[in-house]
Amino acid sequence: MRMLLDPVEVPFAAEVWHWRGPAPFHVVSVPAGLADVLGEVAPLVSYGWGMDAR
């Protein structure tokens, strides 16, 4: 069974930095308190492109 969650917006300010590794991408370091919340919900949400994180 697939759970559908409402979108959530969490405003914060941070610098975007570019990782130039073998697969380059952009990263934003979120505040520690927000990182804890994201860690709690991560198993319940998709990591993007329509794929489940499980």
Side-chain angles (χ1 to χ4, degrees):
M1 181 171 146
R2 185 175 185 154
M3 289 178 31
L4 298 177
L5 302 174
D6 291 331
V8 175
E9 290 187 26
V10 182
F12 67 94
E15 183 177 346
V16 176
W17 50 280
H18 182 246
W19 175 260
R20 293 181 295 172
F25 55 93
H26 293 86
V27 178
V28 175
S29 299
V30 298
L34 179 55
D36 293 341
V37 172
L38 293 174
E40 290 177 17
V41 300
L44 305 173
V45 298
S46 166
Y47 65 87
W49 299 282
M51 300 180 71
D52 288 333
R54 297 175 268 233

